[in-house]
Every structure is written in structure tokens, then in C-alpha cells.
Amino acid sequence: GFGMGIRWRGTVSAGQTVEIQFAQNLGQSFLGINLKCASCHDSFTARWKLTDSYGLAAIYANETLQIHRCDKPIGKEAKAAWLFPELGNIDAALPQKERLKQLADLMTHPDNGRFTRTMANRVWHRLMGHGIVHPTDAMETKPWNEDLLDFLGIEFSEGKYDLKELIFLIATS
């Protein structure tokens, strides 16, 4: 249900489509970035562009996705793309299932510390009442202890992304 988003009845704004919800949810939950502004226009507060948000949304799309700026089509199609191309990218020509597999591989890429750090921060927040990075959805904010966050992220990755092991590690520290 998380990836499928909410299927609203009737006409919805471009920022409420299932594909855009996918990009927003994935960005916020697993990468600690807020793509809501960048789903309508280039963000005023972060580096994310409208094309970044739509590129992530296009990974999930089954059909061609038209880019809209503030609910107005701009005459361009979104191309499936990963937010951090230095780690790799998505083959936009592949079917959705294969694009999602590529996305999963990029999310769990050994060099993608953003995913592991975001998950470690979320678990720490749940157990300790306050994240190492606060707020938890703003992972570009400086953590109060970078070494701890890096350590937990590495342990989470080396533990094959086992949340129970991460919880145990934090709870027994």
C-alpha cells in the first residue's frame, strides 16, 4: 500500500497522483528528503528540482508521465531517474518491475549511506524519542553525532538491512 499511494476519486492535482505520492513517500521515508515542494515546482528551500521529483515518480509509472508545474503541463515527459546519479541510474526503457528492481539496488547500494543513515536515524528516534538528525525528515541537517550515525548506518548495511538487529544494537548500547 505504501508504494501504491492513495487513489483519489475524481480529478486530482498533479501533486496528488499515485506516481508523485510514490516519489514523495520514498524520498521522505527512506532518504530523509522532502520532495513535496519539488513535486509542484523547483524547491525554494532545498536543492531538489521539479525534474528530480518527476524522475523518481517515473520509475513507478506504468505510462508516460507528463511534467506539471503548479498543475500546468509544461510540455515535457518525465524520464525515470535516480536522485543520486553518482551511484548509478535507472534504465527508463525497462518495464516498471525492472525499474523498481534497479531502484531497490540503488537504494541498498553499498555507497548509498543516505538510506542506511535515514533508517538508523528513524529507529533511533523511535527508541530514544529524538533523532540523531532532527527533524527526522531532514537528513541534510547536521546530526548531533555524525560518528554514531555513520556507525549505525554501516552496521545496518553490514547486517543486511535487518531492522531487528539494528533495534537490538541500539537498545543494548
Side-chain angles (χ1 to χ4, degrees):
F2 172 81
M4 293 172 54
I6 299 170
R7 297 191 183 276
W8 302 100
R9 285 184 241 151
T11 304
V12 298
S13 72
Q16 293 175 313
T17 64
V18 171
E19 295 83 7
I20 292 296
Q21 288 179 61
F22 172 82
Q24 292 170 351
N25 291 342
L26 185 90
Q28 187 169 354
S29 298
F30 299 121
L31 300 171
I33 56 176
N34 187 335
L35 292 174
K36 288 183 179 144
C37 290
S39 298
C40 184
H41 51 78
D42 291 348
S43 177
F44 301 127
T45 59
R47 69 181 179 131
W48 307 110
K49 305 285 184 210
L50 182 64
T51 52
D52 295 328
S53 192
Y54 270 86
L56 192 56
I59 295 170
Y60 188 73
N62 279 315
E63 299 173 0
T64 303
L65 192 59
Q66 297 295 320
I67 299 176
H68 288 72
R69 184 179 191 284
C70 299
D71 270 344
K72 292 181 175 55
I74 64 170
K76 293 183 180 176
E77 294 178 356
K79 182 181 178 206
W82 171 235
L83 296 172
F84 305 99
E86 61 276 8
L87 297 176
N89 217 326
I90 303 293
D91 184 348
L94 292 176
Q96 181 207 42
K97 184 177 180 179
E98 294 302 313
R99 292 191 312 265
L100 290 173
K101 167 104 174 61
Q102 285 183 334
L103 176 62
D105 291 342
L106 289 168
M107 291 285 289
T108 57
H109 189 284
D111 293 336
N112 183 11
R114 182 172 288 273
F115 169 67
T116 57
R117 289 166 48 110
T118 298
M119 295 308 294
N121 188 55
R122 287 194 178 286
V123 171
W124 184 278
H125 177 260
R126 285 292 181 198
L127 295 175
M128 303 299 182
H130 195 278
I132 300 167
V133 173
H134 185 77
T136 54
D137 295 330
M139 287 301 289
E140 292 171 342
T141 304
K142 187 168 176 53
W144 58 260
N145 190 325
E146 276 187 66
D147 292 337
L148 174 61
L149 188 58
D150 287 343
F151 170 77
L152 293 173
I154 290 166
E155 289 294 314
F156 183 50
S157 175
E158 289 178 355
K160 302 204 184 317
Y161 311 102
D162 187 327
L163 284 171
K164 286 183 181 180
E165 288 296 319
L166 180 61
I167 292 167
F168 181 82
L169 176 65
I170 293 170
T172 59
S173 65

